[in-house]
Amino acid sequence: MTGRALTSIKRPAEPWRQRLIRSLLYGRNVDRAVKARARVGLAILLFAAIYAVLAGRLVMFAVGADSHGARRAGSQDAIATARPDIVDRNGEVLATDVKAPSLFGEPRRIIDKDEAIELLTAALPDLDEAEARTRLSSRKGFVWLKREITPKQQHDIHKLGIPGIGFLRENKRVYPTGAAVAHLIGLVNIDNQGIAGMEKWLDNNGLADLHRAGFATDRLQRPVELSIDLRVEHALRDELLKAKEKYKAKAASGLVSNVRTGEIVALVSLPDFDPNNPKEAHDPERINRLTTGVFEMGSTFKALTLAMALDSGKANLNTLYDGRGTLKFGKFTIHDTHPVGRAITLSEVFTFSSNVGAAKIALAQGVDAHKAFLKKLGQMDRLRTELPESASPIVPKRWSELNTITISFGHGIAVAPLQAVMGINACINGGLLIPPTFLKRSEEEARAMAKRVLRPETSDKMRYLMRLNAEIGTAKKADVKGYYIGGKTGTSEKVVNGRYSKKQVLNSFTAIIPADNPQYQLLVMLDEPKALPETHGFITSGWNAVPTGGKVIARIGPLLGIEPRFDLPPSDRLILAASRTTQ
């Protein structure tokens, strides 16, 4: 075949799909050699960019050892997680996070461990040398050496330039109010995890789960609003500190409760601790006595005994009881501190704080009715609130008539003071048992969860008795002019070596403000107060807890928005008569 014949053979036609792809890739009438050189140049630039990024990351790992990558290298070393702020009902910060540097090491990168330890212990005298040596001798990629160091310590160590030593900025929990709300707020551990109080409640109610899931890692979390009013808290704590010192008491505690919502507006238990320096928190004397401790509440329990009788319909304010002598039951003798020597009315049982009268009132109701009433008012079961720390009441295993006698005046049963406050709230707020809370709660929310335990007219009579006791009874020393308070005292002898001691007592005073239309209840407790010349040798509640309560009321009344009212009629006209006209 000739060349002319070869040239006359046609090449097969290029498929249309290939023509389309070639047109899109190269265009038309383009020099393919130029295009090839452009592609090679682009590939070189792309690879150069990739290697530049890798080189940059290597440099970051080398000189920026406090990066998140280094943090992840620790794998098993916990990192302090972020927590939401905790604020009082007015928005004042009670707990918040700040950033603090922590010192870590990367054992695989340390050249001379002995030199590193020598330099670090010189900069940090409190660094445990043996523990640091153990950690730096491990094969881990990351170990903690010292958590939460100061900026100056960070600066000094940074100047040493030790390879394999770096810093991480962690979340550190701080409490701006110090010890003021310590028992309520609680505290966290070194990893910023709640271990007590409302801090632990936060973790138990979803925060810990969020952290484990990798969420809530920053501080863009909604603050937790408590029911506490920091102003009222400071006033209550200040007066309790003064009373504890004045009466040489072993401990002092108190709280303010909103009787309509169950909100706890203030809670103080002394001695307390500073959660910023939590070593003292482990002292067994520094427990929260209002929720963790259980005590025989003494005569404040008579309020529940009389409410039981009035609500049953078997007694009224003028029902008479024999108060001429003692009450003998087997080998036990019940007597009154100030015997009247005559028959007394139910009202006088309250104002004279008669043990004999309270015992006879309870016996008239019967053992089963007494037990059922106390259970209905929440005194027989463990009280659950947001605070994880709570104790179960101590009740008789076998409840006899003797138990009913002693429990009628607050002996023989031990409850958490907050538990007693809940029961008394129900006696004076119209008869509604409302669970206490440390979170903000509206009256509508409280009514939705409330349980009716008393008739409204019974509550009216109890408010009358409380006010009458401030007018002519044992609570007179707390009757702050203008606030129309009501109150009940309690002095319970403590058990020492198996016997009740007359020299070691737990005093309590509960007040309602104001008595004709209660908004708040105040509880003040003094543990083992001593007699003073001004108390004439007495250590009973009326001489120490009651005047302390009066001072607290004078300070917190304006803070709670309670306007003073003067020249008000006595309780039989303002409370009792008004109650009769509405029935």
Side-chain angles (χ1 to χ4, degrees):
M1 186 178 291
T2 63
R4 185 182 299 270
L6 288 173
T7 56
S8 66
I9 299 175
K10 294 183 179 180
R11 296 180 180 178
E14 184 179 15
W16 67 269
R17 293 185 183 85
Q18 292 184 11
R19 289 199 306 273
L20 177 62
I21 294 173
R22 183 166 53 81
S23 175
L24 291 174
L25 288 176
Y26 304 112
R28 295 180 178 178
N29 302 320
V30 176
D31 189 338
R32 295 182 63 179
V34 174
K35 200 70 173 180
R37 287 194 296 272
R39 289 201 303 270
V40 172
L42 181 61
I44 292 172
L45 288 175
L46 180 61
F47 279 104
I50 292 172
Y51 283 113
V53 170
L54 292 175
R57 294 295 290 172
L58 289 173
V59 171
M60 289 175 64
F61 281 122
V63 300
D66 59 346
S67 67
H68 293 285
R71 188 160 82 181
R72 285 191 294 269
S75 64
Q76 296 180 356
D77 289 88
I79 303 298
T81 52
R83 306 179 67 81
D85 287 352
I86 300 178
V87 299
D88 83 336
R89 64 186 308 110
N90 300 311
E92 296 293 331
V93 176
L94 305 177
T96 189
D97 280 354
V98 297
K99 293 292 185 180
S102 290
L103 179 68
F104 72 87
E106 296 174 281
R108 299 170 188 167
R109 295 184 57 231
I110 293 179
I111 301 171
D112 189 334
K113 291 181 174 56
D114 292 330
E115 180 186 22
I117 292 170
E118 183 179 349
L119 292 173
L120 290 174
T121 52
L124 298 172
D126 59 340
L127 182 66
D128 189 318
E129 181 178 347
E131 184 178 353
R133 186 178 300 277
T134 300
R135 286 174 172 262
L136 291 179
S137 299
S138 70
R139 294 187 176 183
K140 292 183 178 180
F142 176 100
V143 292
W144 285 120
L145 296 174
K146 179 73 174 176
R147 308 288 285 274
E148 297 177 3
I149 63 177
T150 67
K152 183 180 183 305
Q153 290 172 331
Q154 180 186 17
H155 176 71
D156 293 341
I157 296 172
H158 183 72
K159 288 197 305 182
L160 296 174
I162 308 173
I165 299 296
F167 308 94
L168 274 177
R169 288 174 61 79
E170 289 193 285
N171 293 296
K172 177 184 178 182
R173 201 62 161 170
V174 296
Y175 303 92
T177 59
V181 288
H183 285 296
L184 171 60
I185 292 295
L187 68 163
V188 298
N189 62 16
I190 193 67
D191 296 319
N192 228 25
Q193 298 167 341
I195 57 175
M198 294 301 293
E199 294 282 27
K200 186 173 182 180
W201 175 83
L202 275 175
D203 284 57
N204 291 344
N205 284 267
L207 183 61
D209 293 333
L210 286 175
H211 285 145
R212 281 192 290 269
F215 299 104
T217 55
D218 54 32
R219 294 197 47 237
L220 298 177
Q221 303 177 66
R222 185 177 180 181
V224 177
E225 294 181 304
L226 302 188
S227 59
I228 293 296
D229 188 322
L230 188 57
R231 304 167 305 167
V232 178
E233 182 84 7
H234 275 301
L236 176 60
R237 184 173 184 271
D238 185 51
E239 291 299 335
L240 288 176
L241 282 169
K242 292 176 182 176
K244 181 175 180 292
E245 181 179 359
K246 178 178 180 178
Y247 299 107
K248 307 295 189 293
K250 176 183 177 182
S253 54
L255 64 85
V256 178
S257 170
N258 185 319
V259 304
R260 299 174 182 174
T261 65
E263 292 173 297
I264 305 304
V265 181
L267 181 143
V268 177
S269 179
L270 303 174
D272 50 21
F273 61 93
D274 186 351
N276 294 303
N277 185 22
K279 293 181 180 179
E280 295 176 337
H282 302 292
D283 184 348
E285 291 297 319
R286 299 176 188 272
I287 65 168
N288 183 350
R289 296 169 184 271
L290 297 164
T291 61
T292 305
V294 292
F295 305 96
E296 295 184 349
M297 295 299 293
S299 292
T300 54
F301 241 60
K302 288 172 185 169
L304 305 184
T305 302
L306 269 65
M308 171 182 64
L310 291 170
D311 201 61
S312 70
K314 296 180 180 180
N316 58 48
L317 294 172
N318 296 314
T319 302
L320 288 171
Y321 298 91
D322 188 357
R324 290 175 296 178
T326 60
L327 174 63
K328 293 186 179 295
F329 195 92
K331 63 179 181 179
F332 299 97
T333 301
I334 310 302
H335 60 85
D336 289 335
T337 304
H338 304 290
V340 180
R342 60 174 173 81
I344 56 177
T345 65
L346 184 144
S347 296
E348 290 176 319
V349 170
F350 199 77
T351 54
F352 290 134
S353 198
S354 169
N355 292 342
V356 173
K360 291 183 176 180
I361 289 173
L363 285 174
Q365 299 299 310
V367 172
D368 292 337
H370 191 202
K371 288 174 59 177
F373 183 81
L374 292 180
K375 186 172 183 63
K376 183 169 66 171
L377 263 69
Q379 305 302 301
M380 303 281 285
D381 302 302
R382 182 178 180 180
L383 177 62
R384 301 284 186 176
T385 67
E386 293 85 7
L387 291 186
E389 301 83 21
S390 64
S392 298
I394 301 174
V395 300
K397 292 182 179 179
R398 180 180 175 276
W399 196 302
S400 65
E401 285 191 333
L402 178 60
N403 298 118
T404 281
I405 288 173
T406 58
I407 291 171
S408 71
F409 51 83
H411 286 71
I413 184 172
V415 301
L418 180 58
Q419 200 163 8
V421 165
M422 177 183 66
I424 294 174
N425 275 351
C427 291
I428 52 94
N429 71 1
L432 299 176
L433 187 70
I434 303 173
T437 182
F438 295 94
L439 300 174
K440 290 182 74 173
R441 178 195 288 164
S442 67
E443 288 191 32
E444 292 74 18
E445 292 170 331
R447 282 195 294 268
M449 65 178 62
K451 177 183 177 184
R452 177 160 294 283
V453 292
L454 294 173
R455 293 179 291 131
E457 51 268 32
T458 301
S459 183
D460 292 338
K461 293 171 184 175
M462 290 307 301
R463 290 189 286 109
Y464 160 72
L465 290 175
M466 297 281 274
R467 174 57 191 169
L468 185 65
N469 200 38
E471 292 174 350
I472 63 172
T474 56
K476 289 188 293 184
K477 293 184 182 294
D479 189 14
V480 182
K481 299 301 179 185
Y483 288 108
Y484 206 75
I485 76 154
K488 184 70 188 82
T489 57
T491 300
S492 58
E493 298 174 354
K494 299 179 69 175
V495 177
V496 180
N497 297 325
R499 294 189 175 187
Y500 284 106
S501 170
K502 293 185 179 299
K503 294 184 178 180
Q504 294 175 274
V505 297
L506 175 69
N507 288 348
S508 59
F509 171 60
T510 182
I512 58 174
I513 319 166
D516 61 320
N517 185 24
Q519 298 179 47
Y520 297 95
Q521 181 186 167
L522 165 69
L523 173 68
V524 169
M525 297 178 65
L526 296 177
D527 192 355
E528 298 185 17
K530 304 298 185 292
L532 301 178
E534 66 184 79
T535 67
H536 309 287
F538 294 107
I539 57 173
T540 49
S541 175
W543 293 97
N544 40 58
V546 172
T548 300
K551 293 177 181 178
V552 173
I553 292 169
R555 290 185 61 175
I556 70 174
L559 300 174
L560 294 172
I562 303 174
E563 296 183 4
R565 298 171 298 159
F566 300 96
D567 301 322
L568 293 175
S571 54
D572 59 341
R573 289 165 52 196
L574 182 60
I575 301 176
L576 205 55
S579 173
R580 288 169 181 162
T581 58
T582 57
Q583 291 176 20

